[in-house]
Amino acid sequence: MKTKTFIMFVGPSVFLMFLFIAAPLVSVFLQSFQVTQGVFEEVIETKCTPGFPAQICTEEASVRRVLDDDGNPVSQTSWVGLDTYRTVLDPDAVSAAFDEGGSGWSQLMTIDFYKALRFTLTFTLITLPLVIGTGLAIALAVNRCVESLKGPVIFVSLLPFIITPVIGALSIRWLFIGDGIMTALLENWTGQDIAMFAQGWTIELLMLFYRVWHVAPFAFVIFYAALQTVNQDTLESAIIDGASRWQRLKYVVIPHLMPLIIFVALIHLMDCYRVFEEIIGFSSQAHVISLQWLTFDYLTPDDSGNRAISRAAANSMLTMIGIVILLIPLLRRTYRDHKNSSH
Amino acid sequence: MSQAKVFQASTGLKVTVAVFLLFWLVVAAFPLFWVLVMSFKLPVDAFSASPLAVITGPETLAEKGGISILDMLLGAVAFYLVYQAVSHWTRGVAERVGFGFTPIGWILGSLIMGAAGLFVFVIILPIVTGAVNWAFGLIPGLSLLAQPVIGITLDHYIAVWFENEFYRNFLNSMTVTAGVVLISLTVGTLAGYGLARTPSSLAFWLLIMALIFRALPHSVLVTGYLPPFINSREILEPFLGDAAPTLYGQPLAVIVVLVSINQPFTIWMLRSFFQNIPAELDEAARVDGCGHFEAFWRVIMPVMWPGVITTGLFSFLLAYNDYLVTALLLDAQNQTMVPAITQYFNRETTTTDQVEAVAAAVSITAPLFLLVMVFQRQIVSGLTAGAVKG
């Protein structure tokens, strides 16, 4: 295919991606160094009240928003360098926390950004092995299943994956909220009064459960498809050599699945790092927040209708650093595949 | 035979596997099943601590009536029949009504099957259960089977859909998803084909860019959109004059945004489907005198529809399930279903509100449930296509 034809085919797609992905990225990068504020002016008013023998006059200074000729408030954008990053990262509060007299870690966790970073990272790292393990176990189990049952089993397994994330989180939440049946069951077992939504760590447990429930089917489907292509000859020779079931799994099946395990892991890391819907579904913002939720929160108009765009931009840029680190292995893998396939 | 014997598992392993599989199925389906049950009960029953009370709904039964054991049996039979019919016949129906043009066939076929299913459940089932209940009620020993035992009420659904005008959100959701699927497939198939048929390194770098774009958190992009979208009127005025629109709150703007966010994933997936089609096919077409575009449209696309349908399903899911973009870029008037439901439960003051939120959640999930029923095979093939190709 000639380059000209190629460009005609990919043109619309590339145009959309540049206009709506690349351009916004640049604009976010620039905005993170800027602050847009309303322009205010100080007005000195003389207020007089009737009095005797003369009026009593006081001069009051008040601050007012400057309006332009059409009556719209005037805003002004100024470059502030790294100031917004400083507001988000709050280095002074960090050093205060670890100085003498500061309470260290727990004080650090009162700053939104570190609170969100801590949760995002632990959440990502804990769910990863759980998702892969659960997905693999389901795939192996379904592979041994009776042929006629496979269809319905896959159907039910796909449901948690296909469901709207917010709704999925909500449906887990409704099982546990107040004296919901799962909470009642737990209370019965432990004999204690349990409130799942009163403290952070129980909410985090529910979130972990939700995420594994939601993503394990994806891992399952991919592993299951790959299990169909395991080399039967190798398996047979392993049996003849007297390999136990466990050894066959470890030395034949898992190595065969390895590229896909890495693929699932990378996709999962990428998606999990963007954790957001759980916070909405479990309404956990008072206890647990994530990096992407923090940006969302800055972008949501506050009580006076203002959006903290520049803080959102700075927070976005900081989030991106993590994404870049996560992407490096994936990019290297793709590059290697590309070089291998072109030879 | 000997091979089968060697692969035979011991009884212990068989039992473990069966127990594990059963456990997983319960875990997978239970939350959804439970939410479905809750949505039909009065709040007293729905949030009762006793599971039995939630299922049988004594208060609901006393106040609103319910269904009998016979109703349930007949309902289960009807569900099984519809499931079988949908999973076996949709393909045939789609081929018959599609006039050889498969996507239209699939859309029409799904609609026909959906309507038929609705017809069975809403019209035929009540008539049949009514008659059977009446007949069993006459037989002294069996009349117990015809007695209502499980309380059910549709009040919350009626409140959600009509009093709270959820149908508006539903229509908005449909507009946005339909737009996203159509545009992203049109743009994506062109790009996917181009990328699959070019060995140049330009294509490789484009794919790498797409991979990076796919990893971006959507909130980062929305941060970039918000200021220009809110001020778009002033920005575009010099070019468009008075016709300059405010993009914030426009469904069309959200469609384009979602299409773009979806592009990286779409082109990767479509490219891997196009790569499965041998390049000899378009070479043959070119030898016969087709241009590149003609070969693409006349020769490649007809064998490509399964891949397009699968990719379309994933575009549908992305647009339908989206919360972040629609919540920030659409105003209350044009809100889609998913953000609308959270506004709902944020004001959960009474338990009735909560059960209404549950009913809304079930309403959002129902179309997805049908989707998996009809397109299970395509979804599985789509998930694996991306993975196996890398």
Side-chain angles (χ1 to χ4, degrees):
Chain A
M1 193 182 277
K2 285 198 198 93
T3 315
K4 203 177 155 198
T5 344
F6 172 68
I7 288 172
M8 271 171 62
F9 270 107
V10 293
S13 172
V14 171
F15 173 73
L16 277 180
M17 284 197 284
F18 269 85
L19 190 61
F20 286 98
I21 301 181
L25 264 187
V26 175
S27 122
V28 171
F29 179 71
L30 294 178
Q31 273 169 19
S32 68
F33 301 107
Q34 290 176 333
V35 167
T36 303
Q37 279 172 324
V39 180
F40 292 90
E41 60 182 351
E42 201 174 337
V43 189
I44 296 174
E45 277 178 307
T46 316
K47 284 185 180 164
C48 295
T49 44
F52 185 79
Q55 286 179 319
I56 304 165
C57 287
T58 46
E59 286 195 340
E60 267 176 27
S62 61
V63 177
R64 244 192 314 189
R65 190 89 194 251
V66 178
L67 302 181
D68 65 6
D69 298 340
D70 300 334
N72 296 320
V74 177
S75 301
Q76 178 188 346
T77 305
S78 54
W79 291 88
V80 292
L82 291 172
D83 273 5
T84 319
Y85 287 93
R86 222 164 277 143
T87 328
V88 173
L89 289 173
D90 214 346
D92 295 340
V94 175
S95 56
F98 288 104
D99 272 352
E100 278 173 66
S103 49
W105 183 255
S106 60
Q107 195 173 336
L108 186 68
M109 286 302 120
T110 57
I111 307 169
D112 279 346
F113 178 78
Y114 299 102
K115 197 170 147 189
L117 182 67
R118 200 276 308 157
F119 171 69
T120 307
L121 291 183
T122 46
F123 185 74
T124 310
L125 294 178
I126 295 175
T127 46
L128 178 64
L130 292 175
V131 163
I132 291 189
T134 318
L136 193 58
I138 303 169
L140 289 169
V142 173
N143 205 27
R144 308 210 120 271
C145 192
V146 189
E147 206 61 41
S148 60
L149 281 179
K150 278 181 180 169
V153 167
I154 295 176
F155 172 71
V156 174
S157 302
L158 277 178
L159 290 177
F161 171 69
I162 224 82
I163 192 175
T164 312
V166 174
I167 306 291
L170 276 173
S171 59
I172 306 268
R173 165 186 154 135
W174 281 320
L175 292 182
F176 286 94
I177 202 162
D179 271 331
I181 53 139
M182 292 309 285
T183 315
L185 193 72
L186 287 176
E187 283 176 348
N188 239 336
W189 278 348
T190 57
Q192 282 176 326
D193 196 30
I194 295 173
M196 289 303 272
F197 292 91
Q199 58 278 320
W201 67 272
T202 41
I203 301 180
E204 275 184 48
L205 275 183
L206 289 183
M207 286 178 169
L208 290 174
F209 172 77
Y210 161 73
R211 184 55 77 136
V212 175
W213 179 76
H214 178 58
V215 189
F218 165 69
F220 148 63
V221 168
I222 286 179
F223 294 153
Y224 176 70
L227 280 180
Q228 312 308 310
T229 60
V230 172
N231 191 336
Q232 292 299 318
D233 294 342
T234 322
L235 266 188
E236 265 176 58
S237 27
I239 293 170
I240 293 166
D241 291 348
S244 71
R245 198 168 288 279
W246 171 246
Q247 283 168 328
R248 291 202 302 267
L249 181 67
K250 192 174 164 192
Y251 295 111
V252 181
V253 178
I254 302 273
H256 176 74
L257 294 182
M258 211 51 201
L260 293 171
I261 293 179
I262 293 170
F263 169 79
V264 171
L266 290 172
I267 294 284
H268 178 73
L269 283 178
M270 251 166 23
D271 288 348
C272 211
Y273 185 75
R274 304 190 285 198
V275 48
F276 168 72
E277 267 99 351
E278 280 90 339
I279 314 283
I280 301 287
F282 287 105
S283 302
S284 69
Q285 51 271 37
H287 301 285
V288 183
I289 56 174
S290 74
L291 285 174
Q292 180 155 235
W293 185 84
L294 200 56
T295 313
F296 175 82
D297 191 44
Y298 287 139
L299 288 177
T300 314
D302 60 10
D303 294 338
S304 51
N306 294 320
R307 301 168 198 260
I309 302 274
S310 46
R311 254 181 294 166
N315 195 59
S316 299
M317 281 296 130
L318 292 168
T319 314
M320 294 265 300
I321 296 174
I323 281 290
V324 171
I325 295 171
L326 284 177
L327 266 176
I328 289 171
L330 186 62
L331 292 181
R332 278 178 57 182
R333 188 178 106 100
T334 316
Y335 187 68
R336 217 176 39 231
D337 286 354
H338 173 67
K339 284 191 92 176
N340 289 345
S341 67
S342 61
H343 288 311
Chain B
M1 281 310 279
S2 67
Q3 186 192 344
K5 214 171 211 173
V6 170
F7 278 96
Q8 205 87 58
S10 65
T11 327
L13 187 71
K14 269 186 190 159
V15 171
T16 321
V17 166
V19 168
F20 172 75
L21 211 53
L22 204 64
F23 175 73
W24 159 250
L25 290 181
V26 170
V27 169
F30 181 73
L32 305 176
F33 167 75
W34 203 251
V35 165
L36 179 70
V37 170
M38 279 168 84
S39 69
F40 288 110
K41 309 290 165 170
L42 290 179
V44 194
D45 289 329
F47 289 100
S48 163
S50 142
L52 205 65
V54 183
I55 292 180
T56 56
E59 296 290 326
T60 318
L61 185 62
E63 244 177 79
K64 302 280 180 185
I67 55 168
S68 69
I69 294 173
L70 276 173
D71 291 333
M72 280 184 283
L73 286 177
L74 289 169
V77 170
F79 179 80
Y80 177 77
L81 289 178
V82 168
Y83 173 77
Q84 289 297 332
V86 165
S87 51
H88 284 121
W89 293 345
T90 307
R91 199 187 173 84
V93 173
E95 271 161 15
R96 210 147 302 160
V97 296
F99 314 109
F101 192 61
T102 335
I104 290 184
W106 275 107
I107 294 168
L108 279 179
S110 317
L111 284 179
I112 291 173
M113 293 311 278
L118 212 65
F119 181 72
V120 169
F121 280 109
V122 176
I123 309 220
I124 298 186
L125 192 63
I127 295 175
V128 173
T129 51
V132 174
N133 274 333
W134 176 77
F136 271 71
L138 297 178
I139 308 166
L142 297 173
S143 62
L144 214 63
L145 290 176
Q147 289 285 321
V149 282
I150 288 187
I152 273 189
T153 170
L154 291 174
D155 285 7
H156 307 299
Y157 285 97
I158 295 167
V160 166
W161 279 86
F162 300 106
E163 284 162 33
N164 297 334
E165 304 196 317
F166 204 60
Y167 66 91
R168 280 175 195 275
N169 303 116
F170 177 76
L171 290 178
N172 290 330
S173 273
M174 286 303 120
T175 320
V176 170
T177 28
V180 169
V181 171
L182 270 179
I183 302 179
S184 74
L185 285 183
T186 315
V187 177
T189 36
L190 287 172
Y193 177 72
L195 289 169
R197 290 290 184 264
T198 315
S200 78
S201 60
L202 184 64
F204 170 73
W205 290 112
L206 268 178
L207 285 166
I208 287 282
M209 285 299 283
L211 199 63
I212 297 172
F213 288 161
R214 179 186 176 304
L216 293 178
H218 297 170
S219 61
V220 175
L221 300 174
V222 177
T223 314
Y225 303 139
L226 260 177
F229 272 34
I230 293 172
N231 302 320
S232 65
R233 213 183 145 75
E234 284 123 64
I235 298 170
L236 294 175
E237 218 157 19
F239 310 105
L240 298 174
D242 286 339
T246 299
L247 291 174
Y248 175 79
Q250 294 284 337
L252 197 65
V254 169
I255 289 175
V256 179
V257 163
L258 284 174
V259 166
S260 315
I261 292 182
N262 202 12
Q263 265 313 292
F265 171 76
T266 314
I267 58 177
W268 265 91
M269 193 179 229
L270 283 168
R271 171 180 164 270
S272 74
F273 277 115
F274 275 119
Q275 277 182 332
N276 287 341
I277 298 173
E280 286 78 19
L281 205 59
D282 28 341
E283 272 159 31
R286 304 248 297 140
V287 169
D288 289 347
C290 281
H292 258 298
F293 191 78
E294 227 183 334
F296 165 73
W297 183 246
R298 291 224 181 144
V299 181
I300 302 299
M301 280 319 274
V303 285
M304 187 48 197
W305 288 120
V308 172
I309 289 165
T310 307
T311 318
L313 281 172
F314 284 87
S315 303
F316 175 91
L317 284 179
L318 175 115
Y320 190 84
N321 289 343
D322 176 80
Y323 175 83
L324 206 150
V325 176
T326 39
L328 285 172
L329 292 184
L330 285 177
D331 45 23
Q333 236 178 335
N334 292 319
Q335 204 50 272
T336 52
M337 286 200 280
V338 180
I341 192 184
T342 54
Q343 285 162 15
Y344 221 116
F345 80 97
N346 278 342
R347 61 170 180 118
E348 56 188 359
T349 42
T350 66
T351 44
T352 312
D353 276 343
Q354 288 196 34
V355 187
E356 281 178 15
V358 175
V362 174
S363 310
I364 295 177
T365 313
L368 294 176
F369 190 82
L370 286 177
L371 201 76
V372 189
M373 238 162 138
V374 178
F375 293 111
Q376 181 176 335
R377 195 165 305 151
Q378 281 76 11
I379 293 172
V380 170
S381 81
L383 285 175
T384 47
V388 179
K389 291 278 153 196

